[in-house]
Amino acid sequence: MAEVKLLKTWSSHFALRVVWALKLKGVQFDSIEEDLSNKSPLLLQHNPVYKKIPVLVHNGRAISESLVILEYIDETWKQYPLLPDDPYESARARFWAKFSDDKVFPSIWGVFIKQGKEQEEAFAQVFENFSFLEEELKGKKFFGGEKIGYADLALGWIAERVFELEEIGVKVIEKEKFPLVSAWMQEFLKVPVIKESLPPHEKLVTKMRGIREKYLGAAHPE
Ligand SMILES: N[C@@H](CCC(=O)N[C@@H](CS)C(=O)NCC(=O)O)C(=O)O
Protein backbone atom coordinates (compact mmCIF):
# COMPACT_ATOMS: atom_id res chain seq x y z
CA MET A 1 0.00 0.00 0.00
CA ALA A 2 1.43 3.36 -1.06
CA GLU A 3 2.25 5.74 1.72
CA VAL A 4 1.14 9.31 1.12
CA LYS A 5 1.81 12.13 3.56
CA LEU A 6 0.99 15.79 3.20
CA LEU A 7 2.83 18.47 5.15
CA LYS A 8 0.44 21.37 5.42
CA THR A 9 -1.17 23.99 7.62
CA TRP A 10 -4.90 24.17 8.23
CA SER A 11 -5.20 27.61 6.63
CA SER A 12 -2.94 27.41 3.59
CA HIS A 13 -4.77 27.68 0.30
CA PHE A 14 -1.71 26.25 -1.45
CA ALA A 15 -2.08 23.12 0.66
CA LEU A 16 -5.82 23.08 0.14
CA ARG A 17 -5.29 22.56 -3.59
CA VAL A 18 -3.41 19.37 -2.84
CA VAL A 19 -6.01 18.16 -0.35
CA TRP A 20 -8.72 18.71 -2.97
CA ALA A 21 -6.77 16.84 -5.65
CA LEU A 22 -6.07 13.85 -3.41
CA LYS A 23 -9.68 13.70 -2.30
CA LEU A 24 -11.08 14.02 -5.82
CA LYS A 25 -8.91 11.07 -6.78
CA GLY A 26 -9.82 9.11 -3.67
CA VAL A 27 -6.20 8.81 -2.54
CA GLN A 28 -5.80 8.11 1.18
CA PHE A 29 -3.23 10.29 2.89
CA ASP A 30 -1.97 11.37 6.29
CA SER A 31 -1.94 15.07 7.08
CA ILE A 32 1.00 16.44 9.04
CA GLU A 33 0.22 19.86 10.43
CA GLU A 34 3.23 22.20 10.37
CA ASP A 35 3.95 25.12 12.65
CA LEU A 36 5.55 27.61 10.27
CA SER A 37 6.95 29.66 13.15
CA ASN A 38 8.92 26.59 14.17
CA LYS A 39 9.44 24.50 11.05
CA SER A 40 9.87 20.79 11.64
CA PRO A 41 13.04 18.91 10.69
CA LEU A 42 10.80 16.90 8.35
CA LEU A 43 9.78 20.04 6.40
CA LEU A 44 13.35 21.34 6.26
CA GLN A 45 14.58 17.95 5.12
CA HIS A 46 11.94 17.56 2.43
CA ASN A 47 11.82 21.12 1.12
CA PRO A 48 15.27 22.56 1.80
CA VAL A 49 15.02 24.96 -1.13
CA TYR A 50 11.82 26.87 -0.28
CA LYS A 51 11.14 25.57 3.26
CA LYS A 52 7.44 25.95 2.55
CA ILE A 53 4.36 23.82 2.75
CA PRO A 54 2.70 22.02 1.06
CA VAL A 55 5.03 19.07 0.63
CA LEU A 56 3.73 15.73 -0.59
CA VAL A 57 5.73 12.71 0.49
CA HIS A 58 4.93 9.63 -1.56
CA ASN A 59 6.70 6.43 -0.53
CA GLY A 60 9.40 8.52 1.14
CA ARG A 61 10.00 10.80 -1.85
CA ALA A 62 9.09 14.46 -1.52
CA ILE A 63 7.54 16.86 -4.01
CA SER A 64 7.00 20.53 -3.26
CA GLU A 65 5.29 23.51 -4.92
CA SER A 66 1.54 23.03 -4.99
CA LEU A 67 1.09 23.24 -8.77
CA VAL A 68 3.92 20.78 -9.35
CA ILE A 69 2.34 18.49 -6.76
CA LEU A 70 -1.01 18.65 -8.59
CA GLU A 71 0.68 17.55 -11.82
CA TYR A 72 2.45 14.74 -9.98
CA ILE A 73 -0.81 13.57 -8.45
CA ASP A 74 -2.50 13.64 -11.84
CA GLU A 75 0.24 11.60 -13.46
CA THR A 76 0.45 9.11 -10.59
CA TRP A 77 -3.23 8.42 -9.93
CA LYS A 78 -5.13 8.26 -13.20
CA GLN A 79 -8.69 8.23 -11.84
CA TYR A 80 -10.53 11.54 -12.15
CA PRO A 81 -8.08 13.21 -14.60
CA LEU A 82 -7.33 16.83 -13.72
CA LEU A 83 -5.49 17.93 -16.85
CA PRO A 84 -7.07 17.40 -20.27
CA ASP A 85 -5.42 14.96 -22.73
CA ASP A 86 -5.32 17.57 -25.45
CA PRO A 87 -1.90 19.31 -25.20
CA TYR A 88 -3.30 22.74 -26.02
CA GLU A 89 -6.12 22.50 -23.47
CA SER A 90 -3.68 21.13 -20.93
CA ALA A 91 -1.31 24.05 -21.53
CA ARG A 92 -4.18 26.49 -21.10
CA ALA A 93 -5.18 24.94 -17.79
CA ARG A 94 -1.59 25.35 -16.59
CA PHE A 95 -1.55 28.89 -17.91
CA TRP A 96 -4.54 29.86 -15.75
CA ALA A 97 -3.01 28.14 -12.76
CA LYS A 98 0.13 30.21 -13.20
CA PHE A 99 -2.02 33.30 -13.66
CA SER A 100 -3.60 32.56 -10.29
CA ASP A 101 -0.25 32.73 -8.52
CA ASP A 102 1.51 35.36 -10.61
CA LYS A 103 -1.32 37.84 -10.99
CA VAL A 104 -4.50 37.12 -9.03
CA PHE A 105 -2.92 36.31 -5.69
CA PRO A 106 -0.70 39.43 -5.49
CA SER A 107 -3.62 41.67 -6.52
CA ILE A 108 -6.04 40.25 -3.92
CA TRP A 109 -3.29 40.29 -1.31
CA GLY A 110 -2.69 43.96 -2.15
CA VAL A 111 -6.35 44.78 -1.61
CA PHE A 112 -6.23 42.85 1.65
CA ILE A 113 -3.20 44.45 3.29
CA LYS A 114 -3.15 47.94 1.79
CA GLN A 115 -5.12 51.13 2.13
CA GLY A 116 -5.67 54.35 0.23
CA LYS A 117 -4.02 54.84 -3.14
CA GLU A 118 -2.06 51.60 -2.98
CA GLN A 119 -5.24 49.68 -2.29
CA GLU A 120 -6.96 51.43 -5.20
CA GLU A 121 -4.16 50.29 -7.50
CA ALA A 122 -4.57 46.75 -6.24
CA PHE A 123 -8.34 46.99 -6.81
CA ALA A 124 -7.68 47.99 -10.44
CA GLN A 125 -5.45 44.96 -10.87
CA VAL A 126 -8.07 42.68 -9.33
CA PHE A 127 -10.62 44.09 -11.75
CA GLU A 128 -8.39 43.43 -14.73
CA ASN A 129 -7.57 39.92 -13.55
CA PHE A 130 -11.21 39.04 -12.92
CA SER A 131 -12.10 40.37 -16.39
CA PHE A 132 -9.71 37.81 -17.88
CA LEU A 133 -11.25 35.05 -15.78
CA GLU A 134 -14.75 36.15 -16.78
CA GLU A 135 -13.79 35.90 -20.45
CA GLU A 136 -12.26 32.46 -19.98
CA LEU A 137 -15.42 31.13 -18.34
CA LYS A 138 -17.66 32.03 -21.29
CA GLY A 139 -19.68 28.94 -22.25
CA LYS A 140 -18.25 26.91 -19.36
CA LYS A 141 -19.41 25.98 -15.89
CA PHE A 142 -15.89 25.35 -14.62
CA PHE A 143 -12.49 26.23 -16.03
CA GLY A 144 -12.20 22.49 -16.63
CA GLY A 145 -15.53 22.41 -18.53
CA GLU A 146 -18.38 20.41 -17.04
CA LYS A 147 -16.34 19.24 -14.07
CA ILE A 148 -13.61 20.75 -12.00
CA GLY A 149 -10.05 20.26 -13.20
CA TYR A 150 -6.52 21.48 -12.64
CA ALA A 151 -7.21 25.19 -13.22
CA ASP A 152 -10.25 25.08 -10.92
CA LEU A 153 -8.17 23.59 -8.12
CA ALA A 154 -5.47 26.20 -8.69
CA LEU A 155 -7.93 29.09 -8.72
CA GLY A 156 -10.39 27.66 -6.20
CA TRP A 157 -8.90 29.54 -3.25
CA ILE A 158 -10.44 32.70 -4.74
CA ALA A 159 -13.94 31.30 -4.26
CA GLU A 160 -13.31 30.72 -0.60
CA ARG A 161 -11.22 33.77 0.30
CA VAL A 162 -13.39 36.37 -1.43
CA PHE A 163 -16.27 35.56 0.94
CA GLU A 164 -14.01 35.54 3.98
CA LEU A 165 -12.46 38.87 3.08
CA GLU A 166 -15.89 40.35 2.55
CA GLU A 167 -16.75 39.31 6.06
CA ILE A 168 -13.87 41.34 7.47
CA GLY A 169 -14.94 44.36 5.46
CA VAL A 170 -12.76 43.97 2.37
CA LYS A 171 -15.01 43.76 -0.66
CA VAL A 172 -12.65 42.34 -3.24
CA ILE A 173 -15.02 42.49 -6.22
CA GLU A 174 -18.46 43.68 -7.15
CA LYS A 175 -19.97 40.32 -7.95
CA GLU A 176 -22.57 41.75 -10.37
CA LYS A 177 -19.73 42.85 -12.62
CA PHE A 178 -18.45 39.29 -12.92
CA PRO A 179 -21.51 37.05 -13.22
CA LEU A 180 -19.63 34.08 -14.66
CA VAL A 181 -16.89 34.18 -12.04
CA SER A 182 -19.52 34.59 -9.33
CA ALA A 183 -21.47 31.59 -10.63
CA TRP A 184 -18.24 29.59 -10.84
CA MET A 185 -17.37 30.45 -7.22
CA GLN A 186 -20.75 29.25 -6.04
CA GLU A 187 -20.71 26.06 -8.11
CA PHE A 188 -17.16 25.30 -7.05
CA LEU A 189 -17.97 25.61 -3.36
CA LYS A 190 -20.97 23.32 -3.80
CA VAL A 191 -18.87 20.34 -4.96
CA PRO A 192 -18.93 17.98 -1.94
CA VAL A 193 -15.18 17.20 -1.89
CA ILE A 194 -14.40 20.92 -2.01
CA LYS A 195 -16.97 21.94 0.56
CA GLU A 196 -16.00 19.22 3.03
CA SER A 197 -12.34 20.19 3.03
CA LEU A 198 -12.63 23.92 3.58
CA PRO A 199 -10.86 25.26 6.68
CA PRO A 200 -13.11 26.19 9.62
CA HIS A 201 -14.77 29.42 8.52
CA GLU A 202 -14.78 31.42 11.76
CA LYS A 203 -11.24 30.41 12.62
CA LEU A 204 -10.05 31.55 9.21
CA VAL A 205 -11.95 34.85 9.39
CA THR A 206 -10.30 35.54 12.76
CA LYS A 207 -6.88 34.70 11.38
CA MET A 208 -7.37 36.89 8.29
CA ARG A 209 -8.60 39.78 10.42
CA GLY A 210 -5.50 39.48 12.60
CA ILE A 211 -3.18 39.48 9.57
CA ARG A 212 -4.86 42.56 8.12
CA GLU A 213 -4.67 44.43 11.41
CA LYS A 214 -1.01 43.54 11.73
CA TYR A 215 -0.21 44.89 8.26
CA LEU A 216 -2.27 48.04 8.67
CA GLY A 217 -0.80 48.64 12.14
CA ALA A 218 2.71 48.30 10.75
CA ALA A 219 1.85 50.81 8.02
CA HIS A 220 0.64 53.34 10.64
CA PRO A 221 2.66 52.81 13.82
CA GLU A 222 1.64 54.90 16.84
N1 LIG B 1 4.55 28.59 -4.43
C1 LIG B 1 4.32 27.80 -3.26
C2 LIG B 1 3.82 28.70 -2.15
C3 LIG B 1 3.65 27.96 -0.84
C4 LIG B 1 3.60 28.92 0.34
O1 LIG B 1 3.72 30.14 0.20
N2 LIG B 1 3.44 28.34 1.53
C5 LIG B 1 3.43 29.15 2.74
C6 LIG B 1 2.21 28.85 3.59
S1 LIG B 1 0.73 29.32 2.78
C7 LIG B 1 4.66 28.77 3.58
O2 LIG B 1 4.99 27.62 3.75
N3 LIG B 1 5.31 29.77 4.14
C8 LIG B 1 6.44 29.58 5.01
C9 LIG B 1 7.53 30.56 4.76
O3 LIG B 1 7.39 31.39 3.83
O4 LIG B 1 8.51 30.52 5.47
C10 LIG B 1 3.32 26.70 -3.59
O5 LIG B 1 2.54 26.86 -4.54
O6 LIG B 1 3.35 25.65 -2.94
Side-chain angles (χ1 to χ4, degrees):
M1 176 87 172
E3 193 195 39
V4 182
K5 292 189 182 130
L6 177 62
L7 277 61
K8 63 188 268 292
T9 63
W10 66 270
S11 60
S12 165
H13 78 263
F14 296 107
L16 197 52
R17 290 172 170 165
V18 180
V19 170
W20 285 334
L22 291 169
K23 290 199 170 174
L24 279 172
K25 291 197 178 254
V27 176
Q28 300 294 317
F29 64 99
D30 291 328
S31 284
I32 302 175
E33 197 66 20
E34 274 292 324
D35 171 3
L36 294 178
S37 63
N38 180 23
K39 294 175 185 175
S40 73
L42 199 64
L43 174 59
L44 300 177
Q45 176 203 335
H46 283 313
N47 191 359
V49 176
Y50 293 110
K51 304 175 180 64
K52 291 184 179 193
I53 57 96
V55 177
L56 186 81
V57 188
H58 183 203
N59 290 332
R61 298 195 301 182
I63 308 112
S64 43
E65 285 299 303
S66 60
L67 296 178
V68 176
I69 299 172
L70 288 195
E71 292 199 37
Y72 175 81
I73 290 173
D74 207 29
E75 286 169 5
T76 305
W77 293 280
K78 300 291 182 194
Q79 63 275 26
Y80 196 100
L82 297 173
L83 278 162
D85 281 339
D86 178 75
Y88 179 73
E89 292 304 325
S90 174
R92 281 196 71 77
R94 279 175 281 170
F95 173 86
W96 290 114
K98 187 165 160 46
F99 175 72
S100 155
D101 291 7
D102 289 352
K103 292 274 202 183
V104 187
F105 182 70
S107 65
I108 293 186
W109 187 253
V111 162
F112 173 52
I113 61 158
K114 290 178 180 158
Q115 276 180 316
K117 196 168 171 331
E118 282 185 338
Q119 194 190 37
E120 274 168 39
E121 283 164 13
F123 267 123
Q125 283 161 15
V126 169
F127 189 89
E128 183 178 64
N129 293 334
F130 272 66
S131 305
F132 287 126
L133 295 177
E134 185 76 8
E135 190 61 28
E136 179 60 17
L137 277 170
K138 277 190 179 152
K140 291 199 275 192
K141 182 172 172 189
F142 295 112
F143 290 93
E146 272 311 295
K147 59 186 187 70
I148 54 180
Y150 179 83
D152 295 279
L153 297 188
L155 289 156
W157 62 273
I158 300 172
E160 186 216 6
R161 297 290 149 111
V162 158
F163 292 111
E164 252 119 19
L165 292 185
E166 229 169 66
E167 221 170 298
I168 62 169
V170 183
K171 193 165 184 221
V172 180
I173 53 157
E174 288 175 60
K175 297 205 188 65
E176 322 74 65
K177 296 213 168 123
F178 302 100
L180 299 178
V181 178
S182 300
W184 167 76
M185 295 198 288
Q186 282 180 1
E187 289 302 321
F188 183 78
L189 294 178
K190 269 192 219 158
V191 175
V193 159
I194 303 296
K195 195 165 60 178
E196 286 157 16
S197 338
L198 293 173
H201 179 76
E202 284 310 321
K203 193 175 169 192
L204 192 56
V205 168
T206 305
K207 183 181 164 97
M208 305 296 281
R209 188 175 281 124
I211 294 174
R212 183 164 153 79
E213 278 163 11
K214 198 176 102 199
Y215 274 97
L216 296 186
H220 302 283
E222 286 300 302

Tab-separated table of all heavy atoms in Angstrom, residues 9 11-15 17-18 34 36-37 39 43 47 50-55 64-69 101 105 161, ligand 1:
chain	number	residue	atom	x	y	z
A	9	THR	N	-0.559	23.303	6.477
A	9	THR	CA	-1.167	23.987	7.624
A	9	THR	C	-2.667	24.037	7.346
A	9	THR	O	-3.080	23.944	6.185
A	9	THR	CB	-0.653	25.439	7.802
A	9	THR	OG1	-1.028	26.190	6.653
A	9	THR	CG2	0.846	25.499	7.999
A	11	SER	N	-4.656	26.432	7.306
A	11	SER	CA	-5.199	27.614	6.634
A	11	SER	C	-4.619	27.859	5.252
A	11	SER	O	-5.090	28.747	4.539
A	11	SER	CB	-4.941	28.849	7.504
A	11	SER	OG	-3.545	29.008	7.692
A	12	SER	N	-3.629	27.097	4.854
A	12	SER	CA	-2.939	27.410	3.593
A	12	SER	C	-3.775	27.032	2.379
A	12	SER	O	-4.152	25.873	2.205
A	12	SER	CB	-1.613	26.646	3.524
A	12	SER	OG	-1.120	26.653	2.203
A	13	HIS	N	-4.006	28.019	1.502
A	13	HIS	CA	-4.769	27.680	0.297
A	13	HIS	C	-3.911	26.919	-0.693
A	13	HIS	O	-4.430	26.217	-1.561
A	13	HIS	CB	-5.397	28.937	-0.333
A	13	HIS	CG	-4.455	29.778	-1.122
A	13	HIS	ND1	-3.835	30.885	-0.614
A	13	HIS	CD2	-4.023	29.665	-2.388
A	13	HIS	CE1	-3.066	31.435	-1.536
A	13	HIS	NE2	-3.163	30.711	-2.639
A	14	PHE	N	-2.576	27.040	-0.567
A	14	PHE	CA	-1.711	26.249	-1.450
A	14	PHE	C	-1.861	24.763	-1.086
A	14	PHE	O	-1.926	23.899	-1.945
A	14	PHE	CB	-0.251	26.682	-1.297
A	14	PHE	CG	0.004	28.107	-1.732
A	14	PHE	CD1	0.242	29.117	-0.812
A	14	PHE	CD2	0.002	28.441	-3.085
A	14	PHE	CE1	0.482	30.426	-1.216
A	14	PHE	CE2	0.234	29.754	-3.493
A	14	PHE	CZ	0.474	30.746	-2.563
A	15	ALA	N	-1.919	24.502	0.207
A	15	ALA	CA	-2.081	23.116	0.659
A	15	ALA	C	-3.478	22.586	0.331
A	15	ALA	O	-3.650	21.411	-0.004
A	15	ALA	CB	-1.823	23.027	2.160
A	17	ARG	N	-5.258	23.086	-2.215
A	17	ARG	CA	-5.288	22.561	-3.590
A	17	ARG	C	-4.930	21.072	-3.618
A	17	ARG	O	-5.532	20.286	-4.334
A	17	ARG	CB	-4.206	23.248	-4.428
A	17	ARG	CG	-4.429	24.654	-4.742
A	17	ARG	CD	-3.180	25.227	-5.396
A	17	ARG	NE	-3.467	26.549	-5.912
A	17	ARG	CZ	-2.534	27.416	-6.273
A	17	ARG	NH1	-1.263	27.090	-6.196
A	17	ARG	NH2	-2.871	28.582	-6.761
A	18	VAL	N	-3.910	20.753	-2.842
A	18	VAL	CA	-3.411	19.372	-2.844
A	18	VAL	C	-4.415	18.450	-2.157
A	18	VAL	O	-4.695	17.343	-2.623
A	18	VAL	CB	-2.018	19.323	-2.166
A	18	VAL	CG1	-1.497	17.900	-2.152
A	18	VAL	CG2	-1.046	20.260	-2.865
A	34	GLU	N	1.962	21.505	10.087
A	34	GLU	CA	3.230	22.198	10.370
A	34	GLU	C	2.982	23.478	11.150
A	34	GLU	O	1.961	24.135	10.956
A	34	GLU	CB	3.910	22.580	9.046
A	34	GLU	CG	4.765	21.513	8.439
A	34	GLU	CD	6.026	21.215	9.254
A	34	GLU	OE1	6.625	22.129	9.837
A	34	GLU	OE2	6.384	20.026	9.302
A	36	LEU	N	4.585	26.905	11.116
A	36	LEU	CA	5.548	27.614	10.268
A	36	LEU	C	6.440	28.572	11.056
A	36	LEU	O	7.449	29.046	10.537
A	36	LEU	CB	4.818	28.355	9.138
A	36	LEU	CG	4.119	27.438	8.127
A	36	LEU	CD1	3.393	28.254	7.072
A	36	LEU	CD2	5.090	26.471	7.471
A	37	SER	N	6.070	28.819	12.333
A	37	SER	CA	6.953	29.655	13.148
A	37	SER	C	8.055	28.798	13.790
A	37	SER	O	8.975	29.312	14.412
A	37	SER	CB	6.148	30.384	14.234
A	37	SER	OG	5.584	29.429	15.109
A	39	LYS	N	9.537	25.533	12.092
A	39	LYS	CA	9.435	24.495	11.054
A	39	LYS	C	10.072	23.184	11.491
A	39	LYS	O	11.149	23.186	12.111
A	39	LYS	CB	10.075	25.005	9.767
A	39	LYS	CG	9.304	26.171	9.171
A	39	LYS	CD	9.994	26.768	7.961
A	39	LYS	CE	9.217	27.996	7.520
A	39	LYS	NZ	9.862	28.718	6.432
A	43	LEU	N	10.018	19.040	7.463
A	43	LEU	CA	9.780	20.039	6.400
A	43	LEU	C	11.119	20.517	5.827
A	43	LEU	O	11.295	20.584	4.608
A	43	LEU	CB	8.965	21.214	6.960
A	43	LEU	CG	8.766	22.401	6.005
A	43	LEU	CD1	8.059	21.987	4.725
A	43	LEU	CD2	7.972	23.526	6.686
A	47	ASN	N	11.874	19.953	2.010
A	47	ASN	CA	11.818	21.123	1.117
A	47	ASN	C	12.900	22.120	1.515
A	47	ASN	O	12.615	23.233	1.956
A	47	ASN	CB	10.430	21.774	1.159
A	47	ASN	CG	10.249	22.818	0.067
A	47	ASN	OD1	11.164	23.080	-0.723
A	47	ASN	ND2	9.077	23.433	0.011
A	50	TYR	N	12.786	25.803	-0.606
A	50	TYR	CA	11.820	26.868	-0.278
A	50	TYR	C	11.409	26.874	1.198
A	50	TYR	O	10.896	27.878	1.688
A	50	TYR	CB	10.567	26.727	-1.152
A	50	TYR	CG	10.810	26.995	-2.621
A	50	TYR	CD1	10.759	25.962	-3.554
A	50	TYR	CD2	11.089	28.277	-3.073
A	50	TYR	CE1	10.972	26.206	-4.906
A	50	TYR	CE2	11.311	28.529	-4.416
A	50	TYR	CZ	11.247	27.488	-5.340
A	50	TYR	OH	11.466	27.734	-6.665
A	51	LYS	N	11.535	25.710	1.839
A	51	LYS	CA	11.141	25.573	3.264
A	51	LYS	C	9.673	25.944	3.476
A	51	LYS	O	9.303	26.584	4.454
A	51	LYS	CB	12.040	26.423	4.175
A	51	LYS	CG	13.526	26.117	4.020
A	51	LYS	CD	14.387	27.050	4.847
A	51	LYS	CE	15.865	26.766	4.703
A	51	LYS	NZ	16.428	26.970	3.353
A	52	LYS	N	8.857	25.602	2.479
A	52	LYS	CA	7.439	25.954	2.553
A	52	LYS	C	6.571	24.711	2.449
A	52	LYS	O	6.991	23.698	1.868
A	52	LYS	CB	7.069	26.883	1.385
A	52	LYS	CG	7.689	28.254	1.499
A	52	LYS	CD	7.225	29.158	0.382
A	52	LYS	CE	7.854	30.532	0.572
A	52	LYS	NZ	7.271	31.541	-0.253
A	53	ILE	N	5.365	24.846	3.001
A	53	ILE	CA	4.357	23.824	2.752
A	53	ILE	C	3.532	24.305	1.558
A	53	ILE	O	3.542	25.524	1.290
A	53	ILE	CB	3.455	23.579	3.994
A	53	ILE	CG1	2.771	24.877	4.467
A	53	ILE	CG2	4.252	22.971	5.114
A	53	ILE	CD1	1.428	25.094	3.981
A	54	PRO	N	2.847	23.459	0.830
A	54	PRO	CA	2.700	22.022	1.064
A	54	PRO	C	3.888	21.220	0.511
A	54	PRO	O	4.528	21.632	-0.442
A	54	PRO	CB	1.434	21.691	0.259
A	54	PRO	CG	1.457	22.647	-0.888
A	54	PRO	CD	2.034	23.920	-0.315
A	55	VAL	N	4.099	20.069	1.163
A	55	VAL	CA	5.027	19.071	0.628
A	55	VAL	C	4.289	17.739	0.634
A	55	VAL	O	3.681	17.369	1.642
A	55	VAL	CB	6.313	18.954	1.486
A	55	VAL	CG1	7.218	17.858	0.944
A	55	VAL	CG2	7.057	20.276	1.557
A	64	SER	N	7.524	19.273	-3.792
A	64	SER	CA	6.997	20.525	-3.260
A	64	SER	C	6.539	21.426	-4.400
A	64	SER	O	6.733	21.096	-5.568
A	64	SER	CB	8.015	21.228	-2.365
A	64	SER	OG	9.276	21.178	-2.926
A	65	GLU	N	5.950	22.553	-4.017
A	65	GLU	CA	5.290	23.508	-4.918
A	65	GLU	C	3.923	22.934	-5.327
A	65	GLU	O	3.840	21.942	-6.084
A	65	GLU	CB	6.129	23.843	-6.154
A	65	GLU	CG	7.300	24.771	-5.846
A	65	GLU	CD	6.829	26.120	-5.302
A	65	GLU	OE1	6.057	26.791	-5.983
A	65	GLU	OE2	7.245	26.482	-4.191
A	66	SER	N	2.884	23.601	-4.857
A	66	SER	CA	1.537	23.033	-4.988
A	66	SER	C	1.149	22.685	-6.429
A	66	SER	O	0.543	21.638	-6.672
A	66	SER	CB	0.505	23.983	-4.377
A	66	SER	OG	0.528	25.237	-5.018
A	67	LEU	N	1.514	23.533	-7.389
A	67	LEU	CA	1.093	23.241	-8.774
A	67	LEU	C	1.868	22.059	-9.344
A	67	LEU	O	1.322	21.262	-10.125
A	67	LEU	CB	1.246	24.485	-9.655
A	67	LEU	CG	0.354	25.665	-9.260
A	67	LEU	CD1	0.604	26.872	-10.157
A	67	LEU	CD2	-1.132	25.285	-9.287
A	68	VAL	N	3.114	21.936	-8.922
A	68	VAL	CA	3.915	20.775	-9.349
A	68	VAL	C	3.329	19.512	-8.711
A	68	VAL	O	3.209	18.461	-9.358
A	68	VAL	CB	5.395	20.969	-8.946
A	68	VAL	CG1	6.225	19.739	-9.295
A	68	VAL	CG2	5.973	22.218	-9.595
A	69	ILE	N	2.927	19.647	-7.458
A	69	ILE	CA	2.336	18.493	-6.759
A	69	ILE	C	1.056	18.045	-7.475
A	69	ILE	O	0.815	16.849	-7.667
A	69	ILE	CB	2.045	18.820	-5.273
A	69	ILE	CG1	3.330	19.187	-4.530
A	69	ILE	CG2	1.355	17.648	-4.583
A	69	ILE	CD1	3.123	19.704	-3.104
A	101	ASP	N	-1.321	32.417	-9.472
A	101	ASP	CA	-0.255	32.725	-8.516
A	101	ASP	C	0.533	33.976	-8.884
A	101	ASP	O	0.962	34.717	-8.013
A	101	ASP	CB	0.677	31.509	-8.390
A	101	ASP	CG	-0.028	30.361	-7.706
A	101	ASP	OD1	-1.253	30.462	-7.460
A	101	ASP	OD2	0.614	29.342	-7.400
A	105	PHE	N	-3.258	36.304	-7.117
A	105	PHE	CA	-2.916	36.312	-5.689
A	105	PHE	C	-2.299	37.645	-5.247
A	105	PHE	O	-2.788	38.256	-4.291
A	105	PHE	CB	-2.028	35.115	-5.327
A	105	PHE	CG	-1.700	35.063	-3.865
A	105	PHE	CD1	-2.693	34.760	-2.942
A	105	PHE	CD2	-0.439	35.363	-3.401
A	105	PHE	CE1	-2.418	34.748	-1.582
A	105	PHE	CE2	-0.148	35.353	-2.049
A	105	PHE	CZ	-1.141	35.037	-1.132
A	161	ARG	N	-11.765	32.591	-0.396
A	161	ARG	CA	-11.222	33.766	0.301
A	161	ARG	C	-12.024	35.039	0.044
A	161	ARG	O	-12.116	35.905	0.907
A	161	ARG	CB	-9.756	34.008	-0.070
A	161	ARG	CG	-8.826	32.880	0.341
A	161	ARG	CD	-8.648	32.784	1.860
A	161	ARG	NE	-8.412	31.399	2.255
A	161	ARG	CZ	-7.272	30.915	2.731
A	161	ARG	NH1	-6.240	31.684	2.907
A	161	ARG	NH2	-7.178	29.642	3.070
B	1	LIG	N1	4.552	28.590	-4.431
B	1	LIG	C1	4.317	27.803	-3.255
B	1	LIG	C2	3.823	28.697	-2.152
B	1	LIG	C3	3.649	27.961	-0.840
B	1	LIG	C4	3.599	28.921	0.341
B	1	LIG	O1	3.722	30.142	0.200
B	1	LIG	N2	3.439	28.339	1.535
B	1	LIG	C5	3.434	29.146	2.741
B	1	LIG	C6	2.211	28.849	3.586
B	1	LIG	S1	0.733	29.322	2.783
B	1	LIG	C7	4.664	28.769	3.580
B	1	LIG	O2	4.992	27.624	3.752
B	1	LIG	N3	5.314	29.774	4.139
B	1	LIG	C8	6.439	29.585	5.009
B	1	LIG	C9	7.525	30.563	4.760
B	1	LIG	O3	7.391	31.394	3.833
B	1	LIG	O4	8.514	30.523	5.469
B	1	LIG	C10	3.320	26.701	-3.592
B	1	LIG	O5	2.538	26.857	-4.538
B	1	LIG	O6	3.350	25.652	-2.937
